Amino acid sequence: MSGALRLVLGDQLARSITSLADLDPARDVVLMAEVMDEVTYVKHHKRKIAFLFSAMRHFAEALRAEGITVDYVRLDDPDNSGSFGGEVARAAARHDLHRLVVTEPGEYRVLAAMRDWQDQLDVAVEIRGDERFMCTPERFADWASGRKQLRMDFFYREMRRDHDVLMEDGAPVGGKWNYDADNRQPPDLSLAVPPPLSFAPDAITDDVLILVGKRCADHFGALADFGFAVTRDQALQVLDHFITHRLPLFGTYQDAMIEGEPWMYHSHIGFYLNAGLLLPAEAVRAAEAAWHDGHAPLNAIEGFIRQILGWREFVRGIYWMKMPDYAGMNFLEADRTLPDFYWTGETGMNCLAQSIDATRRYAYAHHIQRLMVLGNFALLAGVRPDQVNEWFLVVYADAYEWVELPNVSGMVLFADGGYLASKPYAAGGAYINRMSNYCGNCRYKVAQKTGPDACPFNYLYWDFLIRNRPRLGNNARLGMIYRSLDKMAPERVAGIEADAAVFLASLDEMSADEHGRQQ
Ligand code: FAD
Ligand code: DLZ
Ligand code: SF4
């Protein structure tokens, strides 16, 4: 057989990726391409683009060091066509190779395009499965078949059994599958959170930072103090650093938020898992080993493993089973424009301002900031799912549609009507106050329920439930909350609705002003 072109995408930077299996260095050429279509189909955070380009360039160097021919197309190469398809066509002609091997991508739109390449370009296309994950799409579909609602907890148990993770004689170690009840402590301000591992940019990263600063000047986000890992070796150091310094308290403070501490006790490995620099199985096994070594308590270890072996695999399964329809779902018929402050951070609500500031600086915010602050507000305010999804896809360096969309549309916005989550994760200001120290520095008063100084989350929470009663009133898990609403004095309900109407109208006005300024 003649040689093959092997396309490696920016989030497939694993030596074990299936497109590189059976590679023949004597005849095959690896193609990697920085293309404007991927940079701008949503205008990604500058830091995310810089991270990915630097990691791609380092990965290409590592392959070359093995004696593999890599054809690497840079964003500013004068003949760059700007698209994956265009670069495949140009490389096929350049190397006279008419067989393309590629691993399935992480986004439906790219897979749809790849499926057309065989007809559109002069190449025979072989699309291979992505074996980096711990659950295949077939295994997931098999588990999901016949279930009306999917629950992560049950899927996760199957994964624990399939991979024999934290199991003893067929039962979960410690006797319970889930230790979440121990993982909801408010922040302890007396503890010094260990600083994250950071890597000074080398010459490759410096070049990329200049390129992105120039070509993506109008994208959201900052490039200053770039410190992401950009090689597999560095990513392994981040994992090791997490296991040593953060994992022991990961569980206890998993939901806690502290002003000026965006990293908390989280692992910060999502960037690397999703780009291929780390494999999920190695993160799971490293945590399991820490249990056997007695290095960290079970609530931390089980909680961390559940995020990867449970949630990460679960959302991927849902994405591939439900696309393309999932992207268009809007069960709550939410129709408000995304407030402009999601981009500027200019809001008096300190919890949102803090979370947006971390996002702008680092292309990172941890799960509870995403879910219970940024997501919760969009849910309560009734923001359009397509705009919330676009924002979350743009701003985080770990965001790819397969993982972002189910989290936003399913977990946060309940846009799928309860397929992924049994009820919306809606909460008022009391939750944010309990889990953070944000409220002390806020212009709003978290203890106040109504009036111009009241925390907007307080009245928006009840207004959300009132507004959505026709769609949520029958949800068994909201029964108690709706019964409390029914016991509220009519004047209180009217006050809530009036406060919410004024606040939401002011949001709409701000968005309209901004829209006017941009035209
Ligand atoms: P840790 O808290 O240390 O968790 C360890 C790992 O578990 C993460 O790196 C991640 O791989 C996995 N994980 C944890 N929670 C989830 C989850 N809900 N879904 C999938 N994997 C999970 N995660 C992404 O990887 N990309 C996204 O685009 C993304 N968008 C999100 C949007 C919203 C609205 C919400 C609520 C969550 C989103 N998540 C996303 C999940 C989660 O917030 C991030 O994975 C996590 O914050 C990444 O930081 P970390 O690596 O420090 O994670
Ligand atoms: C996110 C991204 C960006 C910004 N740029 C590139 C690129 O220039 N070249 C590339 O191969 N991949 C890039 N990516 C990642 C792709 O968007 C990702 O591979 C697809 O969305 C499929 O998951
Ligand atoms: Fe957020 Fe309300 Fe607390 Fe302000 S008072 S930080 S808006 S929860």
Side-chain angles (χ1 to χ4, degrees), residues 142-151 154-155 158 419:
D142 187 38
W143 171 77
S145 102
R147 294 170 199 255
K148 273 228 303 268
Q149 293 184 318
L150 301 184
R151 292 295 162 257
F154 297 114
F155 166 76
E158 303 260 327
Y419 191 66

Side-chain angles (χ1 to χ4, degrees), residues 8-11 33-35 38-39 41 44 48-49 52-53 56 84 105-107 109-110 400:
V8 176
L9 305 182
D11 54 353
E34 298 168 3
V35 292
E38 293 306 302
V39 171
Y41 78 93
H44 297 285
K48 173 182 186 179
I49 302 167
L52 222 54
F53 282 9
M56 285 172 70
F84 284 145
E107 300 197 348
R109 82 192 153 85
V110 182
Y400 302 89

